[in-house]
Amino acid sequence: MLSEILFIAFPLCTAGAAIVVDYQKAWTARGDKLPDFRFAGYHQSQVALPALDRPATITISPANTTGDRTPAIQAALDQVAQGGGGVVQLVAGTYALSAGLLILIGTTLRGAGIGNTVLTVNNLTKDVVTLGQANLKKQRGKATNITDTVTVLDTSRLSIGKPVYPSEMATENLSMRVEPSCSGQSFSNLTCASSAVHVSSWATDSLVRHLDLTGFNHGIDIARSASRITVTEVTMNRYGPVDNTAGYAIDVAIDGTQVLVHNVKNRGDGKSRSVATESLTPGPNVCLGYEIEEGIQNIGIEPHERYAHGFLNERSRVVSVIVTVQYGSLGHPHTCGPST
């Protein structure tokens, strides 16, 4: 039986004095404490994010035709990862993709800016970008030293030392488009079932930043056991009627821990969940400064599924939108809508 459950609500747009939280204080009689939310994000938010203008290792240009650029980009990502890591730079232009891109340890896929570098796909049977090996198996239990002689029939899958988790991966500074749009489509439609960015299990210390996403149902999906991930300065554009027969879309779905969602925006008229944790998701996870356009049918920012814990939402807000329309024979402008 569950007892002494602590719930602290941080309402949207609440002004007032700052609240000082003592993370060492026991909040219940049995000694439960709040998680220390200061350590969510890339390298526990203790080091600065890598510079956006760091030198590129390989530079790729768009094709002269509308041909598939997946093989060229993937080959560059693999080459950089095998060489110890670095940046694959996509110069300004549109890049048509036929399949998902896999970013391995130490590697960044960087564009020339939102609206300048655009990745386009015509279906979402696969995630557009995946950070870390998608087939990395979950590890259970603790490692221990072997102090006696053992006989092993097959040593091909054994190695000496600690496991190496995929880290220092990023996708940044570009736009992604699904054409035709999957925004609002039912999840049962397999051509619209995947995400713009998937962060794989056991990925750590990695980034998703400065992205503009249009036409997606699922935006960013962070898998179980991923940790210390920062998602920052991302805009989700949703347009069109919503088919919720299989559930509502989620901008950022969190199944990992120490995830920081920072300055993410929801634009358009599609109904969705902004940030949601999955079943049994452990904290600390933080949503800081989420922005939602007024009028959007947004379901909320929440620990969505059962038994998730350690989720903080702070400084999220609803913003007003000013719309300018033309009317009358002379086309005089008329501004309507609430003020900011």
Side-chain angles (χ1 to χ4, degrees):
M1 178 177 179
L2 297 177
S3 63
E4 296 183 292
I5 297 176
L6 177 68
F7 177 77
I8 297 180
F10 295 84
L12 291 175
C13 304
T14 299
I19 299 174
V20 178
V21 178
D22 182 0
Y23 289 104
Q24 301 304 311
K25 174 183 176 181
W27 289 76
T28 70
R30 64 185 181 191
D32 296 320
K33 298 178 181 179
L34 290 175
D36 196 333
F37 295 102
R38 295 171 297 176
F39 296 102
Y42 176 81
H43 282 282
Q44 301 182 101
S45 293
Q46 301 302 295
V47 300
L49 302 182
L52 272 171
D53 60 352
R54 60 199 187 279
T57 310
I58 294 178
T59 299
I60 296 180
S61 299
N64 294 327
T65 66
T66 58
D68 179 18
R69 298 298 284 159
T70 305
I73 298 173
Q74 188 61 62
L77 291 169
D78 293 344
Q79 180 180 336
V80 168
Q82 291 166 7
V87 175
V88 174
Q89 174 73 47
L90 303 180
V91 303
T94 299
Y95 298 76
L97 303 180
S98 64
L101 298 171
L102 176 62
I103 300 176
L104 298 175
I105 187 168
T107 304
T108 293
L109 179 65
R110 184 179 70 198
I114 290 174
N116 295 324
T117 298
V118 181
L119 305 182
T120 65
V121 295
N122 57 21
N123 69 71
L124 286 173
T125 54
K126 293 184 178 180
D127 303 309
V128 180
V129 172
T130 297
L131 304 187
Q133 285 282 10
N135 60 355
L136 192 65
K137 293 183 178 180
K138 296 181 180 181
Q139 302 184 23
R140 300 183 182 276
K142 296 181 179 180
T144 186
N145 293 328
I146 298 175
T147 59
D148 201 353
T149 302
V150 295
T151 301
V152 180
L153 296 178
D154 181 6
T155 61
S156 62
R157 299 176 63 185
L158 300 180
S159 61
I160 298 175
K162 296 181 179 180
V164 177
Y165 297 111
S167 63
E168 303 298 335
M169 301 167 293
T171 181
E172 59 189 20
N173 223 32
L174 51 80
S175 299
M176 297 185 195
R177 304 282 185 267
V178 185
E179 300 171 351
S181 174
C182 281
S183 181
Q185 293 291 312
S186 171
F187 300 159
S188 59
N189 179 354
L190 297 182
T191 64
C192 289
S194 296
S195 305
V197 180
H198 175 77
V199 181
S200 295
S201 294
W202 304 107
T204 186
D205 293 325
S206 295
L207 291 171
V208 180
R209 65 171 170 173
H210 292 275
L211 299 183
D212 187 79
L213 311 176
T214 301
F216 291 87
N217 255 340
H218 301 290
I220 299 165
D221 176 51
I222 301 169
R224 185 171 297 275
S225 300
S227 63
R228 302 198 300 265
I229 308 297
T230 290
V231 177
T232 182
E233 303 291 343
V234 175
T235 298
M236 288 288 305
N237 301 291
R238 297 187 178 278
Y239 301 99
V242 175
D243 182 342
N244 69 332
T245 54
Y248 286 106
I250 302 177
D251 293 355
V252 183
I254 301 173
D255 208 8
T257 186
Q258 288 182 275
V259 175
L260 172 61
V261 179
H262 171 255
N263 287 358
V264 174
K265 299 178 182 179
N266 185 313
R267 297 287 183 261
D269 57 4
K271 191 171 184 178
S272 67
R273 300 183 187 277
S274 291
V275 182
T277 54
E278 307 286 359
S279 178
L280 301 176
T281 298
N285 290 308
V286 176
C287 175
L288 181 63
Y290 204 100
E291 186 175 289
I292 303 166
E293 279 188 359
E294 187 172 42
I296 291 179
Q297 295 179 313
N298 188 271
I299 299 173
I301 299 171
E302 60 185 1
H304 172 47
E305 295 188 21
R306 61 182 66 86
Y307 307 125
H309 60 83
F311 180 74
L312 172 66
N313 176 34
E314 188 174 48
R315 296 211 303 269
S316 295
R317 64 193 185 123
V318 176
V319 297
S320 300
V321 180
I322 304 299
V323 180
T324 299
V325 297
Q326 300 293 326
Y327 72 96
S329 59
L330 298 179
H332 298 297
H334 172 67
T335 301
C336 59
S339 59
T340 55

